[in-house]
Amino acid sequence: LGALTSHQQEALRIAFARGFFDVPRRADASQVARAMGVSRQAFLDTLHRAERRLVGQAIQAAGSDEGQK
C-alpha cells in the first residue's frame, strides 16, 4: 500500500473492514463514504484511483507492459 496516498489507504482499509469487498457486500459505497466523512462519489473516485494504481503495479510486477503509456 506504500505507493498509495494516505487517503487512498484509509479508503481501502475502511472499505475492507466494513465488508465492501465481501460477496455479498456487507456495506455499500454510501455507507463507507459516511464512515469516511466524504461523499459517495468522492469515496468511489478515491477507490478507483487506488485500485488502478494497485492493478498497474501488479501488472508491472508480473513483467507485462500492456496498458502502459
Side-chain angles (χ1 to χ4, degrees):
L1 296 180
L4 302 179
T5 67
S6 60
H7 189 66
Q8 290 169 336
Q9 290 177 27
E10 176 190 24
L12 285 173
R13 285 187 180 113
I14 292 173
F16 188 82
R18 294 191 176 251
F20 180 80
F21 296 107
D22 292 356
V23 177
R25 286 192 170 134
R26 290 186 292 123
D28 64 23
S30 295
Q31 293 167 314
V32 177
R34 246 189 323 275
M36 290 181 64
V38 300
S39 70
R40 178 182 177 278
Q41 191 60 52
F43 162 68
L44 290 172
D45 288 348
T46 300
L47 181 66
H48 179 74
R49 286 186 183 99
E51 290 171 332
R52 187 179 194 315
R53 186 171 286 178
L54 291 173
V55 169
Q57 286 180 336
I59 290 170
Q60 238 177 0
S64 172
D65 63 354
E66 278 190 50
Q68 301 297 312
K69 294 183 181 182

